[in-house]
Amino acid sequence: MKNSKFVVRGGNELNGEITIQASKNATLPIMSAALLADGSIKLKNCPNISDVANMVKILKSLNVKVKKIKNNYIINPQNASNSQIDCELAKSMRSSIFLLGSTLSKFKTTTISMPGGCKIGARPIDISVNSLKKLGVKVVPQGDCLFFDATKAKAKKIKLRLPSVSATENLIQFACKLKGKTVIKNCAREPEVVDLCNFLNLMGAKIFGAGTSKITIIGVDKLVGVEYQPIGDRIVAGTIMIAVAICGGEVVLKNGVPYQNKKLIKILSSMGCKINIKNDIITISRQNKLSSAKLISTGCYPSFPTDLQSQMLVLSLFVEGKTRIVETVFENRFLIVGELKKLGARIKTLNNREVEIEGMQFLKGGEVLAQDLRGGASLVLAGLMGKAATIVSNIACIDRGYDSLEKMLSRLGADIKRQ
Ligand code: EPZ
């Protein structure tokens, strides 16, 4: 529902067991790469989130057959037709940019609308565009769209200006069936990039070096249909772990991909959380007061993830000591600060990339607005510590990436309702 809200009342510990949903940021590029299959793809246990539902709409607009059976998607791209990605749909979801690589590979020409920025930043696509140009793709601006022609593309070595996740994933998809050897240097190392490569290699692609800053792709003619389950969502897992750090208690996380969350686990342990990992299962507990992390600086993987920055900012309000948070990835990812101040938080903004937080604060509850996906989830975390009710509105932006956040938290003992 458009105007739904979360009503959160703090004070409860979190206890119990949770299975973490599949990763939004792995599922979306994998759904795009399914276009490249010469057969039918079955994606299992996909997250029930609006970004995935929108990606299905975009695929269907390209005449791809998509069938949803519970949380499984059967995707058959064999009758897909080369049509411009629906502009309105593309604008509604930034991740449509991931379709650039797969549609260009499949149809040889494609038109995408400039996905536009979002609240956390301008979200340019220059690295994808310039890299494809270096591979011989012709790019022609057409109004607020871009027309790409890959009929004369050639495999070669390229180096990215920045290890951009979307650019890396577009180039991998584009080069899978491009004759010859393509080498991408300074590429993104995120676990979701690795998952995309694992999916494509299972289909018969020849991709080497996933997870390192140099990926080599040998073009193949055919990619067969496969069954695949995207990896667990490290950001959702991290959000739940930080919720336990805020509320106290003990929670067991299954499918929480601990080895892709090392930085967060190291920081939470150093602050005083007890975290045990056994056979990929994370057990996190918090009994005593936490001490501050002192400095949290986000960066490209394996640095601390920007997608967990807002959550750690909220946690920093409640610990003993001062915390400095530096956001190096996006230029506008402190939107939550204004909302937290409505709850009585005291936060010092040093510049658009740096804030300083005194700990040992108590929030008074109140009405706040979710402005971006991860900031919105973090406002819910703030409500878990507030004495009085915290009402979070515009929760549609939280539903983009969390499969019923209120169900996850209330199953663990939190007092949170969707209204
Ligand atoms: C992906 O976004 C994720 N989204 C983001 O998660 C994540 O925060 C980000 O990677 C960084 O890890 C998905 O995977 C769907 P980038 P993406 O290209 O690919 C600049 C969430 O909450 N840049 O690595 O857009 C850009 O402005 C979302 O789940 C260029 O300058 O990230 C940004 O400052 C938020 N030119 C930085 O690089 C480009 O062509 C990182 O962008 C591309 C990016």
Side-chain angles (χ1 to χ4, degrees):
M1 288 254 292
K2 190 112 180 59
N3 308 323
S4 301
K5 298 176 185 329
F6 283 144
V7 181
V8 193
R9 286 181 176 78
N12 297 0
E13 271 196 359
L14 299 184
N15 291 293
E17 185 176 296
I18 181 171
T19 300
I20 298 298
Q21 70 184 59
S23 162
K24 164 178 87 77
N25 294 348
T27 304
L28 293 172
I30 284 171
M31 290 176 82
S32 161
L35 256 178
L36 300 170
D38 299 300
S40 182
I41 295 281
K42 179 176 181 184
L43 295 183
K44 300 186 287 189
N45 292 332
C46 293
N48 204 6
I49 54 178
S50 56
D51 266 14
V52 167
N54 279 337
M55 182 58 96
V56 168
K57 279 189 207 146
I58 294 176
L59 287 175
K60 283 183 173 174
S61 74
L62 298 175
N63 298 333
V64 175
K65 286 213 177 354
V66 184
K67 207 163 148 222
K68 183 175 192 295
I69 304 163
K70 297 203 178 97
N71 276 5
N72 306 314
Y73 287 93
I74 316 286
I75 301 172
N76 191 330
Q78 296 179 75
N79 300 321
S81 57
N82 174 16
S83 56
Q84 174 169 338
I85 295 173
D86 178 283
C87 284
E88 284 325 301
L89 264 176
K91 283 199 176 341
S92 72
M93 192 180 83
R94 160 154 174 94
S95 327
S96 56
I97 181 65
F98 294 113
L99 278 157
L100 171 56
S102 56
T103 51
L104 192 54
S105 169
K106 185 173 181 74
F107 304 122
K108 303 303 169 230
T109 63
T110 190
T111 305
I112 64 154
S113 74
M114 299 297 281
C118 67
K119 295 257 184 175
I120 63 175
R123 313 298 292 273
I125 61 168
D126 60 294
I127 301 174
S128 289
V129 172
N130 295 335
S131 305
L132 288 168
K133 280 181 177 171
K134 283 178 193 153
L135 294 178
V137 173
K138 219 166 75 192
V139 185
V140 182
Q142 284 175 353
D144 64 355
C145 291
L146 286 175
F147 172 73
F148 294 78
D149 180 341
T151 42
K152 296 200 171 49
K154 287 229 177 334
K156 63 185 289 191
K157 275 194 182 125
I158 52 174
K159 184 170 182 197
L160 304 189
R161 168 171 74 82
L162 268 175
S164 154
V165 171
S166 47
T168 303
E169 292 177 342
N170 271 324
L171 289 163
I172 288 167
Q173 294 178 73
F174 177 65
C176 270
K177 288 186 165 179
L178 180 64
K179 200 165 167 310
K181 177 162 94 169
T182 303
V183 178
I184 312 166
K185 288 188 168 175
N186 194 31
C187 56
R189 300 168 54 192
E190 270 69 3
E192 295 75 27
V193 174
V194 176
D195 207 37
L196 171 66
C197 294
N198 291 341
F199 170 67
L200 285 163
N201 281 340
L202 186 65
M203 290 164 72
K206 287 191 170 52
I207 306 168
F208 308 95
T212 73
S213 45
K214 178 181 165 191
I215 288 180
T216 300
I217 301 148
I218 310 290
V220 296
D221 297 330
K222 197 172 162 53
L223 292 173
V224 298
V226 295
E227 289 199 6
Y228 196 79
Q229 170 155 337
I231 51 165
D233 194 310
R234 62 191 166 103
I235 304 303
V236 172
T239 305
I240 297 294
M241 286 196 264
I242 294 166
V244 177
I246 289 173
C247 301
E250 178 167 291
V251 169
V252 175
L253 293 91
K254 289 183 172 174
N255 202 35
V257 288
Y259 304 109
Q260 285 89 347
N261 248 328
K262 285 183 184 161
K263 270 287 184 312
L264 173 71
I265 290 172
K266 188 162 170 257
I267 289 176
L268 290 177
S269 306
S270 73
M271 294 169 75
C273 288
K274 236 172 100 237
I275 301 176
N276 182 289
I277 295 161
K278 194 158 170 267
N279 309 331
D280 274 11
I281 293 175
I282 305 166
T283 303
I284 178 169
S285 63
R286 196 270 291 169
Q287 261 76 35
N288 312 316
K289 248 294 164 240
L290 297 178
S291 52
S292 98
K294 297 186 178 51
L295 171 67
I296 291 169
S297 183
T298 68
C300 302
Y301 194 87
S303 297
F304 188 84
T306 174
D307 294 348
L308 285 173
Q309 179 259 101
S310 299
Q311 296 87 326
M312 285 305 285
L313 192 157
V314 169
L315 175 59
S316 303
L317 292 166
F318 308 121
V319 299
E320 280 173 334
K322 198 184 278 186
T323 310
R324 200 151 64 82
I325 294 185
V326 182
E327 170 56 55
T328 72
V329 178
F330 289 109
E331 65 269 27
N332 194 31
R333 206 164 199 178
F334 288 125
L335 290 166
I336 188 176
V337 168
E339 297 307 311
L340 289 171
K341 286 182 173 171
K342 292 179 191 169
L343 304 177
R346 296 183 315 281
I347 299 166
K348 200 169 151 195
T349 298
L350 306 175
N351 55 60
N352 74 324
R353 298 267 186 172
E354 221 171 321
V355 297
E356 200 174 69
I357 298 135
E358 275 301 338
M360 303 306 283
Q361 301 191 36
F362 283 95
L363 301 183
K364 62 182 187 214
E367 302 225 6
V368 287
L369 176 75
Q371 300 194 49
D372 65 279
L373 164 56
R374 307 300 174 185
S378 304
L379 288 172
V380 171
L381 299 188
L384 291 176
M385 203 58 196
K387 285 273 171 279
T390 300
I391 299 165
V392 183
S393 55
N394 188 36
I395 60 175
C397 69
I398 302 174
D399 290 338
R400 283 190 43 222
Y402 291 83
D403 185 350
S404 306
L405 181 60
E406 77 280 11
K407 286 187 189 142
M408 291 186 220
L409 292 169
S410 46
R411 270 195 211 119
L412 295 172
D415 179 351
I416 173 172
K417 290 192 182 48
R418 178 185 290 256
Q419 260 185 1

